[in-house]
Amino acid sequence: MSQSVVSPAWKRSLAANLLKWFGVAARDLPWRRTRDLYAIWVSEIMLQQTQVATVIPYWQRFLEKFPDPHALAAAEESEVLRLWEGLGYYRRARQLHTAARQINAVHGGSFPTSYDEVLSLPGIGRYTVGAILSIGLDQRLPILEANTIRVLSRLTAYQQNVDSGQGQNYLWSVAEAVLPCKSCGAFNQALMELGSQICTVRSPNCENCPVVRLCQARRLGLVDEIPRSAKRKKYEDVTELAVVIGRGFQVLLRHCQPGDRWAGLWDFPRFRAASETTTDQAIASGVLQATGLDVKVGKHLATIKHSVTRFRITLECYEAELLSRTSGSKLTSSTLRWVPISRLLEYPLSASGRKISNLVNSLGVKRPARGSKQ
């Protein structure tokens, strides 16, 4: 079944059944209680590659701190990143901040309402524009994301690679063709809700699907084979080292620069291990190269496993102390800063960086400066 044979009667039935079901089955999500374009925008950015349950408290805290584009534009980037901490994909937060400043400068602090104006904002693509303007203003704009890709592929029994250019063009055309004339925002949300709650990746609940009679994949027995996509991403296993360098009741943090993994955030000095077997000398050498400081490596603090993009990382964390007062008192790099342990909560860190920070606080990790009384 192709987009060209999606009949008017099929589309009317799809919209009627889906909207009726959504009116009863829709989850009560906080961003569904508003038509404020700014609030909807923030929710859509946060929901990218992040589960709903995780996003809810972040969205609420974010809107409380930054209730409108003007408030967000006026904030320091570090404030935005600190509030975003734990959501990951920090580029989203930086682009949100930049876009708010553009809204403030170009649109007087009011979120724009035209397709082209919204699309011109940093970090916003075709899907996000469609979601914001259809949900907030009921504009007749299609959406296409992971859930609706799955739903539309199964409804039309599309058996080609959905990640290809051809597949994306096909699915966008279907998403546009099935839009009703009214209630477009509710219809788009219903499609996403169906994919999230019923038409799931594994073990879809076809028996309770409100549009099962319209589903061509179900009719052909292809539900488990659709959608078809490219091969899964391959991950590379790496070992990295993070070092907590103490000076009195302070520890050293590094400000991650543009192009770094967590640009804009702060982090403990970290680097990739040269080999699986790590010696104190190798760690000290890595610290010297990263910070210009001579240190004496102390005990192993923890092993943290996490994933970033295509890497599965084993992070080995160590204590270290300065070998001389001089080496720590004349930091020349503006990216390095001695931070009191009591103030670590004020600095935006990555998820793994925050785990180290919490460990430092719980263990009372500190190293008195050389020459002080022990």
Side-chain angles (χ1 to χ4, degrees):
M1 183 177 187
S2 66
Q3 184 271 338
S4 61
V5 296
V6 174
S7 69
W10 187 92
K11 290 188 289 184
R12 286 194 299 271
S13 181
L14 176 68
N17 284 281
L18 203 53
L19 288 169
K20 181 180 178 180
W21 168 81
F22 186 65
V24 176
R27 288 171 292 174
D28 181 20
L29 303 177
W31 45 84
R32 287 179 175 168
R33 304 176 204 149
T34 181
R35 287 296 185 98
D36 178 25
L37 298 182
Y38 169 76
I40 295 169
W41 169 48
V42 173
S43 74
E44 287 297 332
I45 299 300
M46 286 187 170
L47 286 165
Q48 293 171 6
Q49 299 178 297
T50 309
Q51 294 181 346
V52 168
T54 301
V55 167
I56 290 174
Y58 278 92
W59 183 83
Q60 291 169 330
R61 288 193 296 267
F62 200 91
L63 267 292
E64 183 177 346
K65 179 72 173 179
F66 309 121
D68 52 45
H70 178 76
L72 179 55
E76 295 293 330
E77 184 181 87
S78 60
E79 291 183 84
V80 179
L81 292 174
R82 181 65 185 91
L83 211 55
W84 197 273
E85 186 179 302
L87 274 179
Y89 301 97
Y90 293 92
R91 183 180 180 186
R92 295 179 298 173
R94 293 192 298 273
Q95 290 178 328
L96 199 72
H97 188 217
T98 303
R101 290 183 168 179
Q102 182 172 319
I103 292 170
N104 208 40
V106 179
H107 304 288
S110 297
F111 197 90
T113 59
S114 77
Y115 181 92
D116 289 339
E117 287 174 333
V118 178
L119 188 62
S120 72
L121 298 175
I124 292 187
R126 185 178 179 183
Y127 158 73
T128 309
V129 178
I132 296 169
L133 296 182
S134 68
I135 294 170
L137 299 176
D138 206 36
Q139 292 188 18
R140 194 175 184 276
L141 294 169
I143 62 168
L144 193 65
E145 43 75 66
N147 286 311
T148 55
I149 285 173
R150 186 165 57 256
V151 170
L152 296 175
S153 296
R154 286 172 174 167
L155 281 173
T156 62
Y158 184 68
Q159 300 181 55
Q160 305 303 312
N161 179 4
V162 297
D163 297 323
S164 67
Q166 178 183 351
Q168 288 289 297
N169 289 336
Y170 168 81
L171 291 167
W172 273 112
S173 68
V174 173
E176 187 167 15
V178 298
L179 273 176
C181 294
K182 298 179 180 180
S183 302
C184 294
F187 179 84
N188 280 337
Q189 291 180 87
L191 275 179
M192 291 188 284
E193 191 83 341
L194 188 71
S196 172
Q197 303 300 303
I198 300 290
C199 193
T200 51
V201 177
R202 297 178 182 83
S203 303
N205 187 7
C206 295
E207 290 72 20
N208 291 315
C209 176
V211 292
V212 65
R213 293 183 179 180
L214 302 175
C215 182
Q216 300 305 306
R218 172 77 168 181
R219 182 178 67 82
L220 298 171
L222 296 173
V223 171
D224 292 335
E225 299 177 29
I226 294 175
R228 295 175 177 170
S229 61
K231 293 181 180 179
R232 288 186 176 183
K233 184 189 298 183
K234 292 184 178 180
Y235 287 89
E236 179 182 348
D237 293 314
V238 299
T239 299
E240 294 183 350
L241 304 171
V243 185
V244 180
I245 305 171
R247 187 185 71 170
F249 288 93
Q250 297 177 318
V251 291
L252 187 69
L253 293 185
R254 175 182 175 271
H255 194 220
C256 302
Q257 299 300 293
D260 289 346
R261 181 185 292 158
W262 292 301
L265 276 67
W266 292 81
D267 193 18
F268 295 89
R270 96 170 57 195
F271 44 89
R272 184 178 289 204
S275 64
E276 293 184 7
T277 303
T278 303
T279 64
D280 288 357
Q281 182 179 357
I283 298 172
S285 176
V287 170
L288 180 63
Q289 184 174 357
T291 68
L293 301 180
D294 292 316
V295 300
K296 178 182 178 181
V297 178
K299 68 180 180 181
H300 179 264
L301 293 175
T303 298
I304 299 172
K305 293 183 180 291
H306 65 112
S307 297
V308 179
T309 59
R310 63 183 182 87
F311 298 104
R312 280 194 297 248
I313 299 171
T314 299
L315 182 65
E316 303 292 354
C317 308
Y318 289 85
E319 279 187 277
E321 63 176 304
L322 296 171
L323 285 177
S324 68
R325 182 185 296 270
T326 302
S327 65
S329 61
K330 295 183 179 179
L331 293 179
T332 57
S333 174
S334 60
T335 65
L336 300 173
R337 181 179 298 178
W338 290 107
V339 175
I341 293 174
S342 61
R343 293 187 58 193
L344 283 172
L345 281 174
E346 300 174 20
Y347 286 76
L349 305 173
S350 66
S352 58
R354 183 58 63 194
K355 288 181 180 179
I356 300 172
S357 168
N358 292 339
L359 187 64
V360 169
N361 276 298
S362 66
L363 295 178
V365 175
K366 78 179 187 70
R367 282 290 179 265
R370 287 276 177 174
S372 64
K373 293 182 179 180
Q374 300 288 322

